[in-house]
């Protein structure tokens, strides 16, 4: 999604979220199927905002989790949860706060499927971008058979 901390960019991200929401709500194919969204959302997560005393607007995250209705398996963050982090990634600017800007989330629509594990990868010596990667293990259930899918997002 659009990057930038100025209000102008936040408004663009909110419009992008509203567009995603309209597709999810109006396209009947997502009503009874598991839906996972992954990517560089460039939106502030509430935990780092609170920890650093930032007055960042977390309304985009709130819209994603409450209005669109997704579950974030990394809702509660710890030291290893930052995907934009100058401490563990030499490409991230040293004057930027540690943040979670990248997400793998699932739509809470009653369909079976669960993100069992989600973690930050490709950091430290493996960094190739200012954002580290995310790795998720997703357990899907289909016709009574358990399936395991891996989604690696850089």
């Amino acid at each position: 999604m659009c990057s930038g901390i100025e209000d102008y960019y936040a408004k663009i991200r909110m419009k992008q979220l509203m567009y995603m929401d309209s597709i999810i709500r109006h396209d009947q194919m997502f009503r009874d199927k598991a839906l996972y969204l992954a990517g560089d959302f460039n939106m502030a997560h509430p935990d780092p905002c609170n920890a650093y005393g930032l007055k960042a607007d977390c309304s985009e995250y709130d819209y994603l989790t409450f209005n669109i209705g997704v579950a974030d398996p990394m809702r509660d963050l710890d030291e290893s949860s930052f995907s934009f982090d100058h401490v563990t990634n030499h490409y991230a600017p040293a004057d930027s706060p540690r943040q979670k800007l990248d997400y793998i989330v699932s739509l809470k629509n009653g369909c079976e499927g669960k993100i069992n594990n989600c973690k930050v990868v490709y950091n430290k010596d493996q960094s190739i971008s200012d954002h580290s990667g995310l790795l998720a293990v997703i357990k899907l259930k289909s016709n009574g058979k358990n399936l395991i899918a891996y989604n690696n997002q850089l």
Side-chain angles (χ1 to χ4, degrees):
M1 296 179 64
C2 182
S3 67
I5 59 172
E6 292 83 11
D7 287 342
Y8 171 78
Y9 299 111
K11 289 176 184 175
I12 292 173
R13 277 192 302 277
M14 188 59 79
K15 286 182 181 180
Q16 290 172 317
L17 285 168
M18 290 176 171
Y19 181 70
M20 286 175 22
D21 190 20
S22 70
I23 291 171
I24 292 168
R25 288 183 191 276
H26 294 104
D27 193 330
Q28 295 298 315
M29 90 180 206
F30 298 122
R31 187 179 52 178
D32 61 350
K33 293 179 178 60
L35 175 65
Y36 300 92
L37 304 173
D40 177 0
F41 290 9
N42 278 314
M43 67 179 67
H45 186 281
D47 283 0
C49 291
N50 295 336
Y52 287 106
L54 300 175
K55 295 186 178 184
D57 181 4
C58 296
S59 60
E60 299 155 24
Y61 183 86
D62 291 341
Y63 189 92
L64 179 70
T65 55
F66 297 115
N67 292 60
I68 295 178
V70 302
D72 180 1
M74 293 177 71
R75 173 66 177 99
D76 299 318
L77 304 183
D78 60 29
E79 285 295 310
S80 66
S81 303
F82 301 109
S83 61
F84 186 80
D85 182 6
H86 66 276
V87 174
T88 61
N89 185 331
H90 58 274
Y91 290 112
D95 60 347
S96 295
R98 302 170 80 192
Q99 301 177 63
K100 177 185 173 189
L101 300 177
D102 306 272
Y103 296 84
I104 299 176
V105 297
S106 60
L107 186 65
K108 295 186 285 188
N109 61 356
C111 294
E112 295 204 33
K114 182 179 180 188
I115 300 174
N116 288 335
N117 187 13
C118 189
K119 64 182 179 179
V120 175
V121 294
Y122 298 116
N123 52 9
K124 300 180 181 158
D125 291 340
Q126 296 179 330
S127 297
I128 57 174
S129 167
D130 59 342
H131 289 247
S132 297
L134 294 180
L135 175 69
V137 176
I138 302 172
K139 184 175 182 179
L140 303 173
K141 199 166 191 179
S142 174
N143 299 328
K145 297 180 182 179
N146 287 329
L147 305 172
I148 301 294
Y150 294 91
N151 179 0
N152 194 1
Q153 177 262 326
L154 292 176

